[in-house]
Amino acid sequence: MDFRPCIDIHNGKVKQIVGGSLADKNNSAEENFVSEYDAGFYARLYKSRGLKGGHIIILNAVGTEFYNADRSQAFSALSAYDGGLQVGGGITAENAADYLNAGASHVIVTSYVFKNGEINYDNLANISKKVGKNRLVIDLSCRKRNGEYYVVTDRWQKFTEARLCEETLDMFSSYCDEFLIHAVDVEGKAKGIEENLAEMLGKWNKITVTYAGGIGSFADLDTLKRLGRGNLNFTVGSALDIFGGAMEFEKTASYH
């Protein structure tokens, strides 16, 4: 159970936002924290602590006003920590090599595969073949509907018919090296994890899974460790003191 740190970039700045609040209109989001430091600063911090496998997420959509500023920040972080970080946000089969060649260990695929409530299996197969299974992370962010978790698309607003279960995880794992799974309903709120989701993911345990969403205390980490059987990596955003929260970064970095 390892800590996977994050660098979320929105409107050209490192931020922490409330999950589900992101909108392309007016490049808006409900902000928990806006950093005075750039992405390279956080990359160097994570490198100095030997934290590997963290993720950079470009939050502005391709073609929007701040997308190029986000990309510039992402590339500065990759340059600062060659081979230590993953990157997601606007990744396609056509541009993935740009990030890998710039130092990303993996690319994280979202909208290229999951869009308009649908799963594009042709794009999934294409990017997995082009990038290589061992350098691809699939973002299976999910929300609860009728008591079960479903993969969501389009800024986490549209439900797919893909129920997050062992069969779904088995199928997607044939294309990738890792999963990044945001529990969207609690993302950015730091008020506790999605316990049923953590328990299901911990039982599955076939490839590396990083859980994100709701962690606001070390008690939450203890719960995640217990329910996930120690099999889940984790990320903490808004709750960290480096992002304006109360959880000590140094203590979090050493939590196993």
Side-chain angles (χ1 to χ4, degrees), residues 133 165-174 176-179 200-209 228 231-232:
K133 179 180 184 293
C165 60
E166 290 188 6
E167 292 77 14
T168 301
L169 295 169
D170 285 341
M171 185 277 292
F172 281 115
S173 67
S174 65
C176 66
D177 192 42
E178 299 185 11
F179 290 132
M200 184 269 288
L201 295 173
K203 287 179 180 177
W204 182 71
N205 191 34
K206 293 183 180 178
I207 65 171
T208 298
V209 176
N231 296 325
L232 303 178

Side-chain angles (χ1 to χ4, degrees), residues 113-130:
V113 172
F114 305 101
K115 197 171 182 66
N116 296 321
E118 301 291 337
I119 300 170
N120 189 320
Y121 291 97
D122 289 339
N123 280 0
L124 176 59
N126 186 29
I127 195 168
S128 181
K129 182 178 180 180
K130 196 158 188 177

Side-chain angles (χ1 to χ4, degrees), residues 86-237:
Q86 305 170 357
V87 63
I91 303 296
T92 68
E94 290 69 39
N95 67 16
D98 295 341
Y99 296 99
L100 295 172
N101 292 337
S105 66
H106 296 68
V107 289
I108 305 166
V109 67
T110 49
S111 59
Y112 183 68
V113 172
F114 305 101
K115 197 171 182 66
N116 296 321
E118 301 291 337
I119 300 170
N120 189 320
Y121 291 97
D122 289 339
N123 280 0
L124 176 59
N126 186 29
I127 195 168
S128 181
K129 182 178 180 180
K130 196 158 188 177
V131 168
K133 179 180 184 293
N134 66 324
R135 300 195 76 180
L136 185 66
V137 178
I138 296 178
D139 183 338
L140 290 180
S141 295
C142 60
R143 303 185 90 149
K144 188 179 282 188
R145 184 175 67 182
N146 298 326
E148 297 188 287
Y149 296 97
Y150 287 83
V151 177
V152 289
T153 74
D154 302 85
R155 306 302 193 189
W156 299 338
Q157 302 302 314
K158 294 183 180 179
F159 282 88
T160 69
E161 293 306 311
R163 183 170 62 89
L164 203 61
C165 60
E166 290 188 6
E167 292 77 14
T168 301
L169 295 169
D170 285 341
M171 185 277 292
F172 281 115
S173 67
S174 65
Y175 293 95
C176 66
D177 192 42
E178 299 185 11
F179 290 132
L180 173 62
I181 300 181
H182 292 83
V184 175
D185 292 325
V186 296
E187 173 69 17
K189 298 178 180 178
K191 293 182 178 179
I193 68 169
E194 286 279 10
E195 296 188 4
N196 292 337
L197 177 62
E199 187 171 21
M200 184 269 288
L201 295 173
K203 287 179 180 177
W204 182 71
N205 191 34
K206 293 183 180 178
I207 65 171
T208 298
V209 176
T210 297
Y211 170 91
I215 297 170
S217 67
F218 290 98
D220 289 334
L221 286 182
D222 293 340
T223 300
L224 182 65
K225 184 175 183 178
R226 174 175 56 83
L227 294 176
R229 305 183 180 193
N231 296 325
L232 303 178
N233 293 329
F234 66 95
T235 189
V236 185

